[in-house]
Amino acid sequence: TLGRGLLIGLLAGFLLLPRPASWLAWIPALLYGLVQVGDLLDGYLARATGTATEWGERLDIEFDALGLLMAAGLAVHWGTVTTWFLTVGVSRYAYRLGLWWVLRRGGALHPLPPSGMRRPIAGVMMIFASVLLWPIVPPAAARAAAWVISTPFLIGFLRDYLVVAGTLSPQSPRYLRARASVKRLAKEGAPPLLRALVLLGWFLAALQATTGAGWTQPARSLTLLTAIPVVLLALGVAGRLAALAAMILSAASMVFVGALPSLLLVMTMSLALLLTGTGRWSLWRGDSWLVDWRPGGPR
């Protein structure tokens, strides 16, 4: 965990520099990628050896927040995303500042209820922030995807703050009804529509790849290869793994051919399905445990 902190310190230095040229441009992405690997390893070792502590968990959370702040700052500094994305980087610090203000005014803090989506959304956000540091990522694609993943991330922080500050009661009937409705929509109602949109986006992209001019051979091959995860998504088979594959392949296609609307549709809808799962009318959802599983702990 302390090694992760050192890597984040090295990453912070790039905030004072223009984007490096040639292969040096990959160094920030490599540093933050190693921070992510360390995040998996320290938790895995602690749980596998039975040495997990509250202090270790708190330190881990603080380095997660600091690393996300540095990655978001670099992505904005280099123009990959626009300035509003800094709200993602400062979200935890704004949350802590808000709680400090509640205490300063003599208020009381309330327990934070458990959430099945808090960790998955945060995990996807950190992976996405890592990808933003890749020098080959098209800014148009990055900005579209940023809206998809940042919206539930920021709403989650706002909800948590309102609950802990006592403004919102998680036991109130109105809150429970609203939470159940949102969960039902996200888990069952929206995914079939998202799957249909992924299929539509890929069909339009494949049509352009086979009949349109200006497509390089790598872009054409990657787009046609995306058919495999897209079909799995349409059928609802291993949806989270298929969504990840479709997202990566469509983003890779845009590196060669640009941020086409059809490819953007595939990428952003796949990103949404990575969070929600494929929902109703799915043939096999056996990979759902990946969202909640913590390496070193029980599946």
Side-chain angles (χ1 to χ4, degrees):
T1 306
L2 293 174
R4 291 176 60 215
L6 293 173
L7 292 171
I8 293 169
L10 293 175
L11 185 66
F14 285 90
L15 288 169
L16 306 176
L17 303 171
R19 190 163 206 162
S22 67
W23 64 270
L24 294 173
W26 285 94
I27 291 180
L30 176 62
L31 288 172
Y32 194 52
L34 290 174
V35 170
Q36 307 257 358
V37 173
D39 191 24
L40 291 175
L41 287 177
D42 59 8
Y44 167 78
L45 291 172
R47 285 183 289 272
T49 59
T51 54
T53 64
E54 182 183 355
W55 166 242
E57 184 175 3
R58 290 176 63 185
L59 193 63
D60 183 66
I61 291 173
E62 294 305 325
F63 280 143
D64 286 345
L66 187 60
L68 184 59
L69 175 61
M70 295 302 106
L74 276 178
V76 171
H77 176 48
W78 289 335
T80 307
V81 288
T82 51
T83 307
W84 73 266
F85 192 72
L86 285 175
T87 58
V88 169
V90 302
S91 55
R92 174 166 174 80
Y93 301 103
Y95 170 81
R96 299 290 297 181
L97 181 62
L99 298 186
W100 171 82
W101 181 249
V102 170
L103 291 174
R104 182 176 176 82
R105 297 181 61 188
L109 301 183
H110 301 261
L112 183 64
S115 169
M117 291 302 296
R118 189 178 292 122
R119 283 190 63 254
I121 290 176
V124 171
M125 173 55 75
M126 287 192 290
I127 294 172
F128 176 67
S130 179
V131 173
L132 289 180
L133 300 183
W134 296 1
I136 60 174
V137 172
R143 292 168 187 177
W147 283 107
V148 175
I149 182 59
S150 300
T151 300
F153 180 81
L154 294 173
I155 289 176
F157 260 106
L158 177 61
R159 188 277 310 267
D160 288 351
Y161 169 73
L162 293 176
V163 169
V164 176
T167 306
L168 184 65
S169 172
Q171 284 80 38
S172 70
R174 180 180 297 180
Y175 172 82
L176 292 174
R177 285 195 301 269
R179 183 176 182 273
S181 298
V182 171
K183 186 175 181 179
R184 187 163 54 248
L185 176 64
K187 292 291 188 179
E188 300 297 334
L193 175 60
L194 298 177
R195 287 154 58 190
L197 290 174
V198 169
L199 187 60
L200 173 63
W202 176 82
F203 176 77
L204 294 175
L207 192 62
Q208 292 172 306
T210 53
T211 62
W215 281 72
T216 63
Q217 186 56 45
R220 186 175 291 111
S221 300
L222 286 167
T223 300
L224 296 178
L225 183 62
T226 310
I228 298 174
V230 166
V231 169
L232 291 176
L233 281 174
L235 296 174
V237 176
R240 289 215 160 80
L241 291 175
L244 181 62
M247 184 180 66
I248 292 173
L249 289 172
S250 57
S253 298
M254 284 186 278
V255 172
F256 297 99
V257 77
L260 298 179
S262 54
L263 291 172
L264 281 173
L265 185 62
V266 174
M267 184 193 68
T268 54
M269 296 302 101
S270 298
L271 179 56
L273 285 166
L274 183 63
L275 292 174
T276 64
T278 50
R280 65 178 67 179
W281 305 312
S282 296
L283 296 182
W284 187 74
R285 290 190 276 183
D287 62 341
S288 297
W289 60 270
L290 288 168
V291 174
D292 301 315
W293 179 54
R294 307 183 74 179
R299 180 181 298 187

